[in-house]
Amino acid sequence: MTFHLLCVGKLSLPFIRDGVAEYSRRLERYGQLRTLEVKEEKSRPRGEDSRLIRAAEGQRLLAQLPASACAFALDEQGQQLCSEELAQLLQQRMLHGCSALHFLIGGAYGLSDAVRQRTDQVLSLSRLTWTHQMARLLLLEQLYRAMTIIRNEPYHNR
C-alpha cells in the first residue's frame, strides 16, 4: 500500500512537524508514505475572493493527481467516519485493487469545488475546523490507527 498526501503549503510549526514525523514513521510499517506539498497562494489584496485562492491551489493539487488515482478530499463538509469505518473503507479499497490511496488537503481557505468533484469521496476529520497543518497530523494518526485496526493490533482500544 502506498499512501499519498497531496497538501497545500509546508509545515511551519515545530510541534506539528514532530507529530507528522512520528506518525509518518509509524505508518511506514504498513506501506510507503509519499507527501507532496504544492505552493500555497500568497495573501491577496483586500476584497479578493477566497474562491480564487482555492482555485489556484486546487489546480496545483489536481496537476499532481494521476488521472486514475483513488483519491479522497479532506473537507469539513465531508462525510464523517469513526475510526473503525475509516479502517473498513481503506480495507475495501485495498481488497478491490487500490494499491495507492491519495489524500488531498487544501490550504487555509479549503479545497476548490474542482478538487472535491475529482475525488472518489470527500471526508471530514471532524465538524470542528482545523488548520490545514493540523489536518495533516490528524489524518496521519487516523491512517495509522486504521491500519492497526485492520491488522487487529492493540493501538486502537475498543
Side-chain angles (χ1 to χ4, degrees):
M1 174 61 55
T2 303
F3 299 98
H4 294 268
L5 269 59
L6 301 172
C7 308
V8 173
K10 297 187 179 299
L11 297 175
S12 62
L13 300 171
F15 76 95
I16 293 179
R17 280 196 307 263
D18 291 346
V20 165
E22 174 64 22
Y23 283 101
S24 296
R25 183 186 59 73
R26 290 182 185 201
L27 196 55
E28 290 283 337
R29 286 185 52 206
Y30 304 102
Q32 293 183 335
L33 174 64
R34 296 191 177 143
T35 302
L36 179 67
E37 298 170 336
V38 301
K39 182 181 173 231
E40 187 171 12
E41 279 293 296
K42 300 287 185 204
S43 296
R44 298 284 185 163
R46 286 188 180 175
E48 192 73 28
D49 196 309
S50 61
R51 285 181 299 152
L52 297 175
I53 294 173
R54 284 193 303 271
E57 292 172 347
Q59 287 176 351
R60 290 185 194 113
L61 287 170
L62 291 174
Q64 300 300 320
L65 186 63
S68 62
C70 179
F72 300 92
L74 292 211
D75 185 272
E76 63 187 5
Q77 300 300 316
Q79 179 183 7
Q80 293 183 34
L81 303 174
C82 70
S83 297
E84 290 92 350
E85 291 168 331
L86 178 62
Q88 288 174 345
L89 174 65
L90 298 181
Q91 190 170 35
Q92 288 172 353
R93 296 299 169 108
M94 289 186 283
L95 290 174
H96 288 95
C98 277
S99 60
L101 300 174
H102 295 74
F103 296 88
L104 288 78
I105 300 175
Y109 296 99
L111 292 168
S112 67
D113 289 338
V115 171
R116 280 194 225 89
Q117 290 169 4
R118 163 50 191 93
T119 58
D120 298 290
Q121 194 166 353
V122 181
L123 301 175
S124 172
L125 292 170
S126 170
R127 289 178 46 197
L128 299 170
T129 301
W130 301 100
T131 67
H132 56 290
Q133 293 187 38
M134 290 286 293
R136 191 184 315 189
L137 174 57
L138 294 171
L139 173 63
L140 287 171
E141 191 281 336
Q142 284 300 300
L143 292 175
Y144 173 71
R145 181 177 298 275
M147 295 307 294
T148 64
I149 291 169
I150 290 168
R151 300 273 178 94
N152 200 27
E153 294 174 353
Y155 181 77
H156 183 73
N157 297 317
R158 277 215 180 188

